[in-house]
Amino acid sequence: MSLPFQCLSRLGRGALFCAAKGCSIQTFDLAATSQPLFSWTHPFLQQTGNANQAKETHEGLDEGEQAGQQPPSKRRKLSFDDVESNVGTGDKQEMLDTPGAPADEKKGQKRCKAKWMTPKPELPFVVLLTATEDGSHVIAVTGQDKTLWVFEHDGKGLLREVSQRAMPKRPCSLALTTDGQTILSADKFGDVYALPLIPQPDTSPESAPAPVPASSQALRGANVFTVHSQRNRRALEDQKRQREANAKRDVPKEGPKFAHEVLLGHVSMLTCVLTTNDSQSRPYIVTADRDEHIRVSRGMPQSHVIETYCLGHASFVTALCNPRSTSDILISGGGDNELFVWDWLAGKLLGTVDLLVHAREVLPDTTKIAVVKLIAYEVENECFIVAICERIPALFVFQLQADNTVLHRETLKLRGNALDIASLDVEEEGLLVAVDVAGDDGEVLAYQRDGNSWAPRQHIQGTADAELEPILSREDLDKVLYTVESLRKTGLDEGDDEGPPEVPGQSSETKQNS
Amino acid sequence: MAEPLNKKQKRAHYRQAQKENGISQLPRKKFYRQRAHANVFSDHHLVYPKTPDHMDWSTYFPAYVPDAGPIITSQPTETSLPDTANLYPKKLTKEVEVVDIGCGFGGLLVALAPALPNTLLLGMEIRTSVAEYVQHRIAALRTQNPATDLYQNIGCLRANTMKFLPNFFRKGQLTKAFICFPDPHFKHRKHKARIVSTTLNSEYAYVLRPGGIVYTITDVEDLHHWMVQHLEAHPSFERISEEEQDADPCVEIMKTETEESKKVERNKGQKFIALFRRLEDPPW
Ligand SMILES: C[S@@+](CC[C@H](N)C(=O)[O-])C[C@H]1O[C@@H](n2cnc3c(N)ncnc32)[C@H](O)[C@@H]1O
């Protein structure tokens, strides 16, 4: 049994697409063969051979080609130890600070259960995959090492690695500006960074973060004139001690060496970023977060201006979709039972459409859903919205009517859970879905419009290229593949309330002023 | 068997009594204290409206509830469209225009109430007990001043302003936002928890109308520089000149009336003040 494909992206127009499987990316041509045209694997797995233990040669790959693409100097030296220590310290530490990470837990221990935590030993799975409109570049993010990879695509399925950039925080969603030259990366700390698609060779780090002033300058702490409550005095002493001892440790984390500009930020975990234009071709950035918000900001260079919010979700928002033919409409979904339809520029909710009811037709016991992805699929002047939900083996097809209402048209059942969907820009518009077939190899199914319906036309079976594929228990695999539902707020994370009073018996303050 | 009451029980008793005996007595702060820092990133059990239109202000500003007709507070059901106006709580005769972000024990609100008698002011505080204290304080002040409108224009609610400001206020609704003696969060790792940051300033710009003012005051010099730096660097804000600052009566009140400012006063500490004007958005 090999790993399922977890991410899909079309490659420009035509029948080419790419799919991620574990720590690898493969390209396919639906018009030709069901065998991959090309395969790239994260250097971590190439170096350890099989992450599991086997030390074999890379049979499945053309050695020369691999070498050509990845000058050894570029390879990141990752050892298993690095990875583990990363999991053990870095990432967990990070979770504590993550906005939106439920800091439920009273203390330490339970925090290990923090959301979006990946299993140990964490492997650099491809978690995000997208391509430029013209298919000339593929952008991928591997989760464990927070690295953003850019590949050049030769138009025939061959990918050449152009850059790898380790982001400060784990990216959660990617978008590209309309010109395809700038990558927007939204992270779990709530920030959206702009990065040039192709990094300029000699960008000095100083010139990097534009609107952020020399913010990294340390706040040296309270001065002697600072209020001296007991608590503050203690804090002050602590700070002083700490300042001396930690002069080295509390240095601001050094920012990345490549050009990256903070465009905007939420104090909440971001889940989705999307770029779009208004009728006058002005660009906008739409961001969604775990705290039910959808924010509409102006595009660069005015991304500091928030135009409006699309508010109304009662649960996290994870998926946004903006049909090209009716780009004034935004569809959103997440932890609510419905999909929401917006006039996004006006911040106006136009309507909602029930999705849970259709999920229950597939799995009758379903009580809540978590939308994983929404795509618009346009064919013959009709606009369809396709939704997938976590751990539901089906595609839900809706139609966006001329009056902007959304109607359920069809539910296409699958052999396993849908992990990702993408549409192809081919004659009959193909719909791709990555399916996690329990107990079997994962597959990519290609649907075609068939009269008024859709029919599966092609089927690509993942092959078990064992030596480059880590073996994970089903449980560990699930932790990597199914992360959306964990965004739901449990209501169990109080933590801060009814804590001890700040300073017992501090009388000076209890005076009343009347 | 009367065991001595522990602190928690005492506190519960006190608050129960407070409820039962009515609200004419000013609350005692010691029963409302809470750990100094709340985690601004965690979920808490926060209550906030889905949108500003869903906010029912009637309990916070009862004197501003329109006379005619009952208040309809039913929330729209999940599947209905929101354009049926009667599904929203009724609007007040005035909207909140001034907020005190992290209002603590409410000294600023109480002092500003008579100074801005025709404006609704809202304190927002993340710590439950502290917000509750301010609510009880306002209720008591209102009862103590029955014949006047005094203190009818101030309210306080528990909220995490770093996440949910746009849930409470429409774009451009506010004219003033006070940020008084915010928690300094000294460590670098905690900087994202600061209440002023370049990215968060966009949210202040969103809720403030052009011409609106952000007031900042702190006794931590470095934090002052941080706030100045980040607000000045933000294209939606410009620093207000010292002359104009000194001429603003709210500045003197902010300097002397918040609980923190009194503490600083007692300790003969320094106070660093900076005001910023919300600029018009650039042409687009
Ligand atoms: C040092 S106190 C100052 C209180 C008051 N402004 C004064 O001057 O007396 C800072 C206050 O901000 C509150 N606070 C911190 N972060 C907050 C947030 N995100 N939303 C609302 N209140 C917050 C804290 O609970 C605390 O009461």
Side-chain angles (χ1 to χ4, degrees):
Chain A
M1 184 192 115
S2 75
L3 294 173
F5 294 99
Q6 74 267 25
C7 302
L8 295 173
S9 173
R10 66 159 81 172
L11 287 173
R13 307 197 52 172
L16 286 174
F17 72 95
C18 56
K21 189 169 179 285
C23 309
S24 301
I25 298 169
Q26 301 183 338
T27 60
F28 295 92
D29 183 356
L30 262 194
T33 146
S34 59
Q35 290 307 306
L37 302 170
F38 170 83
S39 183
W40 171 88
T41 298
H42 193 287
F44 170 68
L45 276 112
Q46 292 182 19
Q47 286 183 355
T48 56
N50 186 331
N52 312 292
Q53 60 341 72
K55 198 82 181 124
E56 294 176 42
T57 51
H58 310 158
E59 281 167 45
L61 291 166
D62 180 335
E63 289 278 358
E65 203 172 273
Q66 280 294 321
Q69 283 156 28
Q70 292 172 339
S73 60
K74 267 201 161 181
R75 294 192 187 186
R76 281 165 54 85
K77 295 263 183 236
L78 272 179
S79 74
F80 235 102
D81 287 342
D82 290 339
V83 176
E84 277 194 300
S85 64
N86 221 328
V87 172
T89 59
D91 229 43
K92 214 180 291 170
Q93 190 65 46
E94 205 169 88
M95 289 308 301
L96 302 182
D97 280 346
T98 301
D104 24 338
E105 306 88 27
K106 296 272 179 228
K107 277 267 132 59
Q109 214 195 355
K110 262 166 72 200
R111 303 214 188 205
C112 302
K113 282 201 200 132
K115 307 305 177 189
W116 282 21
M117 200 71 179
T118 27
K120 271 187 227 190
E122 214 183 350
L123 291 157
F125 263 58
V126 177
V127 291
L128 300 172
L129 184 66
T130 187
T132 53
E133 191 68 36
D134 61 4
S136 67
H137 291 85
V138 170
I139 303 131
V141 167
T142 46
Q144 173 275 327
D145 55 359
K146 305 173 203 150
T147 298
L148 189 136
W149 306 80
V150 175
F151 304 89
E152 200 175 271
H153 173 225
D154 70 349
K156 297 191 221 88
L158 197 80
L159 303 182
R160 189 178 64 83
E161 191 188 313
V162 240
S163 74
Q164 61 175 88
R165 284 168 271 187
M167 300 299 293
K169 302 290 178 244
R170 183 183 295 211
C172 294
S173 179
L174 296 176
L176 284 152
T177 51
T178 337
D179 65 4
Q181 290 309 300
T182 305
I183 303 168
L184 304 189
S185 166
D187 70 29
K188 64 178 196 171
F189 260 45
D191 294 321
V192 175
Y193 289 95
L195 303 98
L197 177 69
I198 310 297
Q200 296 309 303
D202 46 7
T203 320
S204 58
E206 285 77 31
S207 67
V212 189
S215 60
S216 43
Q217 196 202 356
L219 216 185
R220 284 180 308 278
N223 66 21
V224 275
F225 297 109
T226 309
V227 186
H228 296 133
S229 71
Q230 214 170 309
R231 175 167 61 83
N232 274 354
R233 208 163 17 237
R234 219 182 308 124
L236 200 65
E237 278 160 26
D238 284 351
Q239 280 156 23
K240 199 168 144 235
R241 214 172 311 125
Q242 200 190 343
R243 217 180 309 147
E244 285 156 9
N246 294 359
K248 276 170 221 116
R249 254 205 297 146
D250 192 37
V251 289
K253 240 200 192 160
E254 207 174 302
K257 294 265 188 275
F258 49 83
H260 70 295
E261 181 190 334
V262 182
L263 293 188
L264 58 99
H266 298 211
V267 182
S268 177
M269 184 187 287
L270 284 177
T271 52
C272 195
V273 56
L274 174 142
T275 53
T276 182
N277 293 310
D278 65 7
S279 54
Q280 296 167 60
S281 300
R282 292 178 297 199
Y284 292 86
I285 302 168
V286 185
T287 39
D289 71 27
R290 181 171 175 260
D291 290 305
E292 310 95 27
H293 298 120
I294 299 171
R295 184 194 286 190
V296 178
S297 305
R298 291 183 183 176
M300 292 163 75
Q302 289 191 31
S303 55
H304 63 275
V305 178
I306 300 175
E307 280 296 339
T308 190
Y309 283 85
C310 297
L311 300 179
H313 274 281
S315 188
F316 59 84
V317 187
T318 34
L320 298 173
C321 131
N322 176 229
R324 190 179 301 234
S325 57
T326 40
S327 60
D328 51 332
I329 297 297
L330 181 80
I331 325 281
S332 62
D336 285 308
N337 300 343
E338 307 84 19
L339 298 180
F340 285 55
V341 186
W342 308 91
D343 173 350
W344 58 268
L345 195 50
K348 186 165 179 257
L349 180 60
L350 300 176
T352 60
V353 58
D354 200 330
L355 177 53
L356 176 66
V357 71
H358 303 293
R360 294 173 77 119
E361 286 160 12
V362 181
L363 295 180
D365 292 339
T366 308
T367 55
K368 54 190 176 189
I369 48 172
V371 177
V372 173
K373 190 148 174 180
L374 287 170
I375 61 165
Y377 169 106
E378 288 165 273
V379 51
E380 290 154 11
N381 296 324
E382 291 186 291
C383 179
F384 298 97
I385 308 295
V386 187
I388 56 174
C389 301
E390 195 159 271
R391 295 181 193 270
I392 310 254
L395 298 178
F396 301 96
V397 185
F398 294 83
Q399 185 168 9
L400 178 61
Q401 316 275 102
D403 64 355
N404 292 331
T405 55
V406 171
L407 276 187
H408 177 256
R409 288 294 296 267
E410 191 168 7
T411 298
L412 304 168
K413 294 193 182 163
L414 302 167
R415 290 209 302 145
N417 297 331
L419 295 179
D420 198 5
I421 39 174
S423 66
L424 291 182
D425 193 2
V426 290
E427 199 88 339
E428 295 90 12
E429 275 278 347
L431 184 61
L432 298 175
V433 51
V435 187
D436 179 14
V437 187
D440 204 347
D441 290 340
E443 61 184 17
V444 175
L445 271 183
Y447 283 84
Q448 263 177 13
R449 195 79 202 285
D450 183 14
N452 266 334
S453 179
W454 286 264
R457 279 291 153 80
Q458 260 169 299
H459 160 248
I460 286 166
Q461 191 91 28
T463 44
D465 38 4
E467 69 280 359
L468 284 177
E469 201 161 275
I471 297 168
L472 288 176
S473 71
R474 187 65 230 189
E475 194 193 341
D476 281 346
L477 186 58
D478 282 358
K479 281 187 209 153
V480 190
L481 299 180
Y482 300 104
T483 54
V484 184
E485 180 55 40
S486 65
L487 294 174
R488 198 179 300 275
K489 296 176 184 175
T490 57
L492 296 175
D493 32 86
E494 190 57 0
D496 290 294
D497 275 3
E498 297 309 320
E502 45 181 345
V503 180
Q506 193 188 45
S507 59
S508 61
E509 237 191 24
T510 42
K511 244 187 320 172
Q512 301 303 328
N513 35 1
S514 69
Chain B
M1 281 193 291
E3 277 179 47
L5 295 175
N6 66 27
K7 195 172 280 158
K8 203 167 182 174
Q9 290 165 322
K10 269 191 209 149
R11 190 190 264 238
H13 277 217
Y14 171 81
R15 293 216 204 158
Q16 190 54 38
Q18 183 83 359
K19 253 193 212 128
E20 284 160 9
N21 301 342
I23 43 174
S24 56
Q25 293 242 322
L26 280 169
R28 296 177 56 193
K29 229 186 264 172
K30 70 171 181 178
F31 292 113
Y32 296 85
R33 281 182 203 289
Q34 207 177 338
R35 185 198 308 165
H37 294 285
N39 182 346
V40 294
F41 299 131
S42 80
D43 294 338
H44 307 285
H45 279 283
L46 290 165
V47 179
Y48 47 88
K50 274 192 197 170
T51 76
D53 285 336
H54 288 81
M55 181 63 195
D56 182 359
W57 293 104
S58 62
T59 53
Y60 298 96
F61 300 101
Y64 293 84
V65 173
D67 298 327
I71 313 148
I72 300 150
T73 51
S74 64
Q75 303 283 308
T77 63
E78 296 292 86
T79 45
S80 65
L81 287 178
D83 43 20
T84 351
N86 65 1
L87 289 174
Y88 294 125
K90 198 158 229 173
K91 288 209 178 326
L92 299 178
T93 54
K94 259 189 180 37
E95 286 193 320
V96 171
E97 284 190 15
V98 176
V99 291
D100 183 4
I101 290 171
C103 68
F105 291 93
L108 181 69
L109 287 174
V110 171
L112 282 177
L116 300 169
N118 299 313
T119 307
L120 297 197
L121 301 94
L122 182 74
M124 303 178 93
E125 170 54 53
I126 199 169
R127 290 183 289 167
T128 321
S129 325
V130 178
E132 220 178 293
Y133 168 87
V134 181
Q135 286 164 357
H136 292 168
R137 182 174 176 185
I138 294 170
L141 286 169
R142 286 175 183 170
T143 342
Q144 290 174 357
N145 295 273
T148 68
D149 284 345
L150 216 54
Y151 305 114
Q152 293 294 343
N153 62 333
I154 56 173
C156 174
L157 51 78
R158 183 193 180 208
N160 182 349
T161 60
M162 291 172 72
K163 286 185 179 219
F164 299 110
L165 271 189
N167 292 67
F168 290 95
F169 308 114
R170 284 179 298 100
K171 184 178 186 174
Q173 180 174 335
L174 304 180
T175 55
K176 296 179 197 298
F178 289 88
I179 303 176
C180 302
F181 301 94
D183 298 326
H185 296 290
F186 291 104
K187 290 185 203 152
H188 274 106
R189 255 186 59 235
K190 297 270 186 187
H191 284 185
K192 179 106 191 173
R194 287 196 179 153
I195 209 124
V196 167
S197 69
T198 312
T199 53
L200 206 44
N201 291 347
S202 288
E203 295 198 24
Y204 300 136
Y206 173 80
V207 293
L208 279 167
R209 72 188 62 162
I213 300 176
V214 176
Y215 295 77
T216 71
I217 182 168
T218 176
D219 59 322
V220 181
E221 187 171 5
D222 288 334
L223 180 60
H224 168 69
H225 292 314
W226 167 282
M227 293 195 288
V228 169
Q229 223 173 34
H230 283 75
L231 278 157
E232 269 185 339
H234 197 286
S236 298
F237 290 100
E238 72 174 7
R239 179 120 187 226
I240 287 176
S241 72
E242 225 154 287
E243 301 84 75
E244 205 180 322
Q245 177 176 309
D246 294 342
D248 188 330
C250 294
V251 170
E252 192 53 36
I253 297 175
M254 161 174 94
K255 223 167 128 180
T256 51
E257 297 292 340
T258 89
E259 277 73 14
E260 264 330 292
S261 68
K262 288 183 177 158
K263 227 196 263 184
V264 175
E265 200 66 53
R266 283 197 296 274
N267 294 292
K268 310 213 176 350
Q270 281 176 305
K271 293 175 191 172
F272 302 92
I273 296 170
L275 272 56
F276 303 86
R277 185 177 291 107
R278 163 73 157 100
L279 300 168
E280 293 278 355
D281 287 333
W284 180 232

